[in-house]
Amino acid sequence: MFLRNSWYVLGWTRDLAPGKPLGRVIIGDPVVVWRDETTGRLHAAEDRCPHRHAPLSMGRVEGDAIRCMYHGMKFGPDGRCAHVPLLETPPKVAIRTYPVVEKDSWIWVWMGDADRADEALIPDAHGIDNPEQPMRANSIEYDAHYQLVHDNLCDLSHVDFVHETTLRIATGAWWAQSAPRITTQDRSVRFERWFVDADLPGAQNGETVDTWISYDFHVPGIFVLRGARYPAGTAMECGMKEPVGIEPVSRNIEQQAVTPIDATHTAYHYATGLIGNTPEMTRKLAERMDVVMATFEEDREMIEEQQKIWDRTDPEVEKLFLPQDKGPFLMRKMMERLIREEAVSEEEDA
């Protein structure tokens, strides 16, 4: 089951080459996006020509329209057929169009009822084009259900084990030895925590820091993290609450998007950055980014193997619930509620 009335990340804005359409599958629906050659505005529609079901993403952009390069049907940004070779008047057919927005370096597509599209539901992220906060970005696909990827991001205690020699060392913290404070909003779950006396990566004298981590996991699968390292003792000075008005030693930022392709495949668009309080420190931290980027492949290997075991296990087999499962549990319940409310609303409108 998928939530349809929501904004999904189709990909990075840099994925859309000039003059070329881009096709992706989101919650089972093929979607094509193209940029207006005159205004630069984005357009999105179903990636399927109504003639022979050829993918329009293999077509070409003509002004604000897209032409199928199988038999030449052309469709305007409103989805209506604008031209067909050999016909003086094009047939009254149209392809479905979708609301589409570019924000924080991502292309967002609303997959549900277009009249309910609300840009206020798009969470704020960092973007990957700000030279003052350099980020490394990429996209991968999982042979796994999207909920398993959600679970992974809502329980970072796995860092100590899955990423024992990579992210665990890069963060300098032990993630499984303390629990975050977890709160919920209508469409997101927030995680906050201090790591007291964490190692300062790269320090030669055993220096420690207090690390503050705060991240939100938004419906339908958007992870936005803001973290910072402070001089040791800062956590106690702040009463173990969020630091305000204190200059950090360094910062780390993340923006990640989980987009279901279908019931068994998931797209994952991620970016990560480590930023020092001086240009020299930022340069040194950037040298560690290859280690951090390796963690995303470690996650994929674990989750894909986990999916294979889930597929071979009777759903009635009870799973053990641990304290670490609070975050994944709350997110699953939130998704279930929203999907259920959406189904009820559709029945009432029918």
Side-chain angles (χ1 to χ4, degrees):
M1 294 289 288
F2 302 114
L3 182 68
R4 302 201 69 85
N5 285 321
S6 191
W7 294 97
Y8 286 89
V9 172
L10 178 136
W12 298 101
T13 52
R14 69 180 188 182
D15 296 339
L16 188 58
K20 294 183 178 296
L22 175 65
R24 297 281 169 77
V25 178
I26 303 176
I27 60 174
D29 293 345
V31 178
V32 61
V33 171
W34 70 96
R35 193 179 295 280
D36 191 308
E37 292 182 313
T38 302
T39 66
R41 180 183 175 186
L42 290 182
H43 304 291
E46 62 177 301
D47 191 13
R48 178 172 38 233
C49 179
H51 172 224
R52 301 288 292 175
H53 292 180
L56 295 173
S57 55
M58 294 182 67
R60 72 182 178 208
V61 178
E62 297 182 0
D64 63 356
I66 188 169
R67 186 181 294 275
C68 177
M69 293 302 288
Y70 194 17
H71 295 98
M73 292 187 73
K74 181 170 131 179
F75 301 90
D78 59 359
R80 295 178 182 175
C81 182
H83 176 255
V84 178
L86 300 180
L87 293 180
E88 292 186 5
T89 302
K92 294 182 178 180
V93 296
I95 55 176
R96 179 185 177 183
T97 60
Y98 298 89
V100 59
V101 172
E102 53 184 319
K103 182 175 182 288
D104 295 322
S105 304
W106 271 332
I107 299 170
W108 303 80
V109 179
W110 180 269
M111 296 302 296
D113 182 350
D115 292 335
R116 298 187 181 186
D118 181 0
E119 292 187 28
L121 295 177
I122 300 177
D124 292 327
H126 310 289
I128 62 174
D129 304 311
N130 183 349
E132 295 184 1
Q133 52 180 39
M135 300 183 77
R136 291 270 296 276
N138 203 354
S139 299
I140 57 177
E141 291 184 6
Y142 286 81
D143 289 333
H145 192 278
Y146 73 92
Q147 288 280 25
L148 292 184
V149 189
H150 284 193
D151 294 346
N152 187 67
L153 292 171
C154 289
D155 173 19
L156 295 184
S157 67
H158 75 273
V159 168
D160 292 0
F161 308 101
V162 177
H163 311 304
E164 183 179 18
T165 61
T166 52
L167 188 58
R168 213 299 300 166
I169 295 174
T171 63
W174 293 96
W175 294 75
Q177 295 183 7
S178 63
R181 185 170 74 93
I182 302 176
T183 55
T184 60
Q185 301 293 328
D186 182 54
R187 295 174 67 93
S188 66
V189 181
R190 169 163 290 188
F191 303 79
E192 298 174 309
R193 71 197 307 174
W194 277 102
F195 294 111
V196 178
D197 289 331
D199 297 331
L200 179 61
Q204 302 298 318
N205 56 1
E207 182 181 356
T208 63
V209 290
D210 289 351
T211 301
W212 170 258
I213 296 291
S214 174
Y215 70 92
D216 296 293
F217 197 85
H218 302 269
V219 170
I222 308 300
F223 175 98
V224 181
L225 180 146
R226 297 168 177 86
R229 296 182 175 92
Y230 296 89
T234 302
M236 293 300 294
E237 292 176 9
C238 295
M240 302 302 290
K241 296 181 181 179
E242 181 178 3
V244 178
I246 304 174
E247 180 67 21
V249 176
S250 64
R251 296 183 292 122
N252 60 297
I253 54 178
E254 306 273 344
Q255 71 176 70
Q256 302 169 22
V258 181
T259 301
I261 298 172
D262 53 35
T264 58
H265 301 86
T266 302
Y268 188 42
H269 310 285
Y270 59 89
T272 182
L274 298 171
I275 305 165
N277 57 8
T278 66
E280 176 63 16
M281 179 175 283
T282 296
R283 184 189 64 78
K284 288 183 178 180
L285 290 171
E287 294 173 355
R288 304 179 62 85
M289 289 306 295
D290 285 341
V291 173
V292 177
M293 294 293 278
T295 66
F296 297 101
E297 288 296 334
E298 292 172 337
D299 278 328
R300 175 162 64 175
E301 181 180 6
M302 174 61 76
I303 292 171
E304 289 186 343
E305 293 304 312
Q306 178 191 17
Q307 181 68 68
K308 293 176 183 178
I309 301 300
W310 277 57
D311 291 342
R312 295 185 175 96
T313 304
D314 188 326
E316 297 301 317
V317 174
E318 185 175 353
K319 289 180 286 294
L320 182 65
F321 188 92
L322 298 176
Q324 298 94 313
D325 294 318
K326 180 179 179 180
F329 173 81
L330 290 174
M331 192 62 199
R332 281 179 176 258
K333 287 298 181 183
M334 183 176 294
M335 291 294 293
E336 289 173 6
R337 172 179 60 82
L338 292 171
I339 291 172
R340 182 174 61 251
E341 291 174 353
E342 184 174 280
V344 171
S345 178
E346 290 177 353
E347 289 180 0
E348 291 176 347
D349 292 343

